[in-house]
Amino acid sequence: MNFEVPPLPYAKDALAPAMSAETLEFHYEKHHKGYMTKLKTLLEGKAEANKSLEEVIRSSSGGVFNNAAQVWNHTFFWESMKPQGGGAPSGEVASLIQRDFGDLDAFKQQWVTAGLDRFGSGYVWLVLEGGKAKILSTANAETPLTTAAVPLLTTDLWEHAYYIDRRNDRAAFLKVFTEELLNWDFVAANLKKAG
Ligand code: FE
């Protein structure tokens, strides 16, 4: 395993004002890299250190699972956003959203509701399961990577994702994610990979 987190796909101030540089500074430098540092310590001298991150996530539990999954989930979350994101999807993604959610507004509404309904920390996900797109949420570090569902998009629901910018207002954070940050190109790329 490469024990470095990938670089952020944009500058730390590139998502402002929807997400501030200060939020990304703490979230990426302290939280994301912190999970990797803990994982590296936990796997030091162990055979699992030679596995890929995905293999470790699928075959571990406890602290190793939590830190490995948090590393993977955060990399996926950064890719789920882009500067001047939001807007409407096109092509196959647009068709998928229309087929499985009715329309884009219904999708966004379900995204916000699923995020608000998750008690405590976790993630909201768009996944492809049995050929159908659906929204689900997971607790703490849990990730669809350990299931048959293919992750297409995520929002981090941990308070550290929004407290600096939005204080306790998770709803405002989820709304700004769908309106100004959501990276539909990433959804399209994941959908293509899923075949
Ligand atoms: Fe986080």
Side-chain angles (χ1 to χ4, degrees):
M1 192 191 301
N2 174 14
F3 286 102
E4 300 290 335
V5 301
L8 274 177
Y10 30 72
K12 286 186 186 122
D13 61 358
L15 302 182
M19 183 176 284
S20 68
E22 190 185 359
T23 288
L24 278 167
E25 177 68 28
F26 276 84
H27 202 169
Y28 176 71
E29 298 293 343
K30 306 291 182 195
H31 295 279
H32 194 189
K33 288 187 176 174
Y35 295 122
M36 185 58 106
T37 302
K38 281 182 207 149
L39 180 64
K40 193 175 172 176
T41 307
L42 290 169
L43 293 187
E44 198 150 15
K46 303 225 167 95
E48 292 105 298
N50 299 315
K51 289 182 178 176
S52 71
L53 180 63
E54 288 82 357
E55 285 171 332
V56 170
I57 292 167
R58 291 187 174 114
S59 62
S60 64
S61 59
V64 171
F65 171 82
N66 285 336
N67 286 286
Q70 284 295 72
V71 167
W72 192 92
N73 290 346
H74 280 86
T75 302
F76 200 83
F77 175 51
W78 308 138
E79 297 283 353
S80 294
M81 301 183 286
K82 69 171 189 177
Q84 284 88 50
S90 58
E92 282 182 35
V93 178
S95 309
L96 188 73
I97 295 295
Q98 194 177 19
R99 190 195 70 190
D100 294 341
F101 297 96
D103 60 31
L104 184 57
D105 280 342
F107 165 83
K108 288 185 199 168
Q109 209 161 23
Q110 275 191 46
W111 191 262
V112 173
T113 301
L116 289 176
D117 284 350
R118 166 54 53 188
F119 184 80
S121 295
Y123 295 82
V124 57
W125 303 88
L126 175 65
V127 300
L128 194 66
E129 195 174 19
K132 199 171 163 12
K134 62 183 234 185
I135 290 172
L136 54 86
S137 76
T138 56
N140 301 319
E142 294 290 334
T143 173
L145 208 59
T146 57
T147 71
V150 179
L152 302 175
L153 183 79
T154 196
T155 302
D156 186 340
L157 300 172
W158 289 56
E159 280 186 344
H160 64 228
Y162 59 87
Y163 217 85
I164 291 170
D165 294 334
R166 319 256 159 217
R167 296 301 176 197
N168 60 328
D169 198 344
R170 187 186 282 187
F173 167 57
L174 285 160
K175 195 164 179 346
V176 89
F177 175 88
T178 62
E179 300 293 338
E180 298 175 39
L181 295 168
L182 199 163
N183 183 359
W184 287 113
D185 301 333
F186 184 56
V187 177
N190 288 324
L191 190 61
K192 193 159 277 181
K193 270 194 277 178

